[in-house]
Amino acid sequence: MFTKQELSSFLKVSTRTVERYCSSGKFPRGFKISGARRWKKSDVLDAIENRESVA
């Protein structure tokens, strides 16, 4: 699982960009654990793969 900070490092974007991607629907919103948002690695990789196949 990724935290927002880990996800932003993985994608090489800012944490604010991660927030924008999620709110605009370009990326999965993830889920909350104890108030902190998390993303499954498999969901992240699927989103990246699907995005590349569309481009």
Side-chain angles (χ1 to χ4, degrees):
M1 275 192 282
F2 288 111
T3 64
K4 187 180 356 179
Q5 184 66 38
E6 291 168 338
L7 183 57
S8 68
S9 293
F10 182 76
L11 297 174
K12 297 182 174 114
V13 298
S14 70
T15 55
R16 180 66 185 125
T17 299
V18 169
E19 293 170 5
R20 276 190 240 121
Y21 284 172
C22 293
S23 65
S24 70
K26 291 181 180 180
F27 215 74
R29 293 189 59 84
F31 54 95
K32 285 191 174 185
I33 297 177
S34 299
R37 193 153 303 275
R38 301 282 192 256
W39 291 263
K40 288 184 192 177
K41 188 173 185 177
S42 60
D43 291 345
V44 170
L45 296 176
D46 287 345
I48 291 169
E49 184 177 303
N50 290 336
R51 195 166 180 216
E52 289 175 353
S53 67
V54 171

